[in-house]
């Protein structure tokens, strides 16, 4: 690879996060999370003309689909068509999450219940020889998750429900339910899960130079069945799982 002496690529990253938790009661707390992730990429590559020469590795070798060379021939390497370039991409994700968590415990059951709201704002700025663009996308979500332990903590039941409202893709409701049964006297765990998911296109997939504003969101469903055999003294654990997933 012949070096390009005046090509400059600069990528800057910034990641910040903060969490604040406050107890309302002994078994009840609320929590606020904030996150920022930012990426700034700048590329400058003037057309330097002839960069040097290289040996053709095989017969019919070409760099420009016009001039072809026999194996071992000296091949001139020009900056074009790889330059000139002068562009900048800047993207940022701003995330907010506010949730309440309640724990409960009784003679027959215990568990954790969590309910919250999330908001994600994505910004994208593009400039240079690939065109100029500035746009934003937002996603607001409501969620509810529950884990309940029964039968002396031998039976675990997990469930969740989520609603996502995407600025361009619209609203979608997803959920999951799962259970695991620990048959301790036999050292055996039986488990099963089923859930759905939703993913809207990111702002980069929609608005970048290679993006597509007409992209539809992805939806998926996944089911899983599994069994584990373990030794009560921790000498071994063997698991077998079957799962099936469909993505649209």
């Amino acid at each position: 690879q012949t070096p390009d002496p005046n090509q400059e690529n600069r990528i800057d990253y910034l990641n910040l996060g903060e969490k604040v938790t406050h107890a309302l009661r002994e078994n009840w707390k609320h929590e606020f999370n904030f996150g920022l992730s930012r990426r700034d990429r700048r590329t400058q590559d003037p057309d330097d003309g002839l960069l040097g020469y290289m040996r053709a590795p095989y017969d019919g070798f070409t760099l420009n689909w016009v001039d072809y060379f026999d194996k071992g021939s000296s091949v001139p390497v020009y900056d074009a068509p790889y330059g000139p370039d002068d562009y900048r991409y800047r993207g940022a994700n701003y995330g907010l999450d506010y949730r309440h968590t309640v724990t409960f415990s009784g003679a027959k059951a215990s568990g954790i219940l969590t309910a919250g709201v999330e908001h994600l704002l994505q910004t994208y700025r593009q400039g240079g020889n690939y065109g100029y663009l500035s746009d934003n996308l937002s996603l607001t979500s409501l969620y509810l998750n529950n884990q309940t332990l029964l039968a002396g903590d031998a039976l675990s039941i997990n469930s969740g429900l989520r609603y996502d409202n995407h600025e361009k893709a619209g609203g979608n409701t997803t959920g999951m339910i799962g259970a695991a049964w620990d048959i301790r006297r036999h050292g055996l765990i039986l488990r099963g899960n089923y859930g759905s998911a939703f993913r809207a296109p990111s702002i980069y997939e929609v608005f970048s130079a290679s993006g597509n504003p007409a992209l539809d969101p992805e939806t998926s469903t996944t089911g899983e069945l599994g069994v584990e055999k373990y030794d009560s003294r921790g000498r071994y654990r063997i698991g077998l799982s079957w799962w099936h997933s469909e993505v649209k």
Side-chain angles (χ1 to χ4, degrees), residues 21-193:
T21 302
H22 175 248
L24 299 171
R25 294 183 180 178
E26 184 178 352
N27 67 329
W28 181 9
K29 67 178 182 179
H30 62 152
E31 183 178 299
F32 176 80
N33 293 275
F34 167 77
L36 165 63
S37 175
R38 189 170 65 188
R39 183 174 185 261
D40 187 347
R41 173 175 177 172
R42 179 69 184 269
T43 294
Q44 291 178 300
D45 182 14
D47 188 351
D48 295 307
L50 181 65
L51 297 176
Y53 295 86
M54 64 176 292
R55 295 290 180 184
Y58 51 83
D59 289 337
F61 178 75
T62 182
L63 290 174
N64 58 12
W65 304 103
V66 175
D67 303 306
Y68 294 85
F69 299 86
D70 295 330
K71 181 178 180 179
S73 299
S74 180
V75 180
V77 180
Y78 294 92
D79 201 3
Y82 308 105
D85 270 332
D86 187 355
Y87 60 87
R88 187 177 187 182
Y89 298 142
R90 288 173 291 173
N93 292 333
Y94 302 88
L96 298 174
D97 176 83
Y98 178 67
R99 68 181 67 178
H100 282 253
T101 301
V102 177
T103 60
F104 58 92
S105 180
K108 296 183 178 182
S110 62
I112 301 174
L113 178 66
T114 302
V117 56
E118 293 179 353
H119 183 74
L120 173 65
L121 173 64
Q122 296 181 308
T123 65
Y124 184 79
R125 307 289 183 268
Q126 171 185 305
N129 57 313
Y130 290 104
Y132 292 86
L133 181 66
S134 177
D135 217 320
N136 302 325
L137 280 179
S138 65
L139 172 67
T140 302
S141 306
L142 302 173
Y143 60 89
L144 179 67
N145 298 313
N146 179 63
Q147 180 186 33
T148 301
L149 300 177
L150 302 167
D153 296 346
L155 176 61
S156 173
I157 300 175
N158 299 281
S159 59
L161 190 65
R162 183 182 182 93
Y163 175 75
D164 294 300
N165 185 19
H166 190 267
E167 181 179 347
K168 291 190 177 297
N172 193 280
T173 301
T174 55
M176 64 82 62
I177 187 167
W181 177 258
D182 187 354
I183 309 174
R184 292 167 182 163
R185 67 178 181 274
H186 298 301
L188 195 66
I189 299 176
L190 305 177
R191 65 176 186 273
N193 298 282

